[in-house]
Amino acid sequence: MRKIKIAGSRSLYNFARVITKAFDFSFDHAFGFYDSFGSLRNAKRVYELFVDAGEEAISPTAQGVKKTKISRAFINPGEKMLFLFDYGDEWRFAVELKEIRKAEERESEPVILESAGKAPTQYPPCVEEG
């Protein structure tokens, strides 16, 4: 678990970069945010990097992540979304908006406020077949 403080004026793309950094992952794969934790096709709110790259998205109503602000995707405290990183390995992160605070002038950089548990290894060592 990681508790992150980030300005709502930042993009979902920036948020994804901060999330992956908080878990010591390389920011090297496509990703998306979904309001469904089950089938992605059932998601009503979808934000995907595919849209920004001009590729086919999972949903015809998907929006991009580079221009979508966090405050537009997460409006009310308690709202949760799935952050899916790397569609091959399917790293799934539950993201919840805990609270909204008035930002101070100097609080523009994201901060990891709390870290609990060991982060998984993004690329575990390969086991040789023998």
Side-chain angles (χ1 to χ4, degrees), residues 18-62:
V18 173
I19 294 169
T20 55
K21 183 178 178 183
F23 286 91
D24 295 320
F25 278 27
S26 296
F27 192 58
D28 57 355
H29 290 283
F31 59 87
F33 290 86
Y34 306 86
D35 69 352
S36 172
F37 286 83
S39 170
L40 301 183
R41 301 212 183 277
N42 292 337
K44 292 178 179 54
R45 291 179 24 234
V46 176
Y47 306 92
E48 293 179 332
L49 183 60
F50 294 131
V51 173
D52 296 304
E55 297 178 25
E56 186 177 343
I58 287 178
S59 167
T61 61

Side-chain angles (χ1 to χ4, degrees), residues 87-127:
Y87 292 88
D89 285 337
E90 285 199 13
W91 289 104
R92 291 172 173 255
F93 300 86
V95 180
E96 180 180 357
L97 175 62
K98 289 291 197 178
E99 64 181 311
I100 300 171
R101 291 187 191 168
K102 180 95 169 124
E104 300 292 327
E105 286 286 325
R106 294 180 232 132
E107 292 185 331
S108 62
E109 291 303 309
V111 177
I112 298 168
L113 300 172
E114 187 179 333
S115 180
K118 186 179 178 216
T121 304
Q122 182 180 8
Y123 297 116
C126 293
V127 177

Side-chain angles (χ1 to χ4, degrees), residues 1-15:
M1 185 280 305
R2 305 295 183 262
K3 190 173 191 178
I4 300 169
K5 178 172 81 171
I6 188 168
S9 59
R10 297 278 183 141
S11 70
L12 288 175
Y13 183 87
N14 186 267
F15 190 27

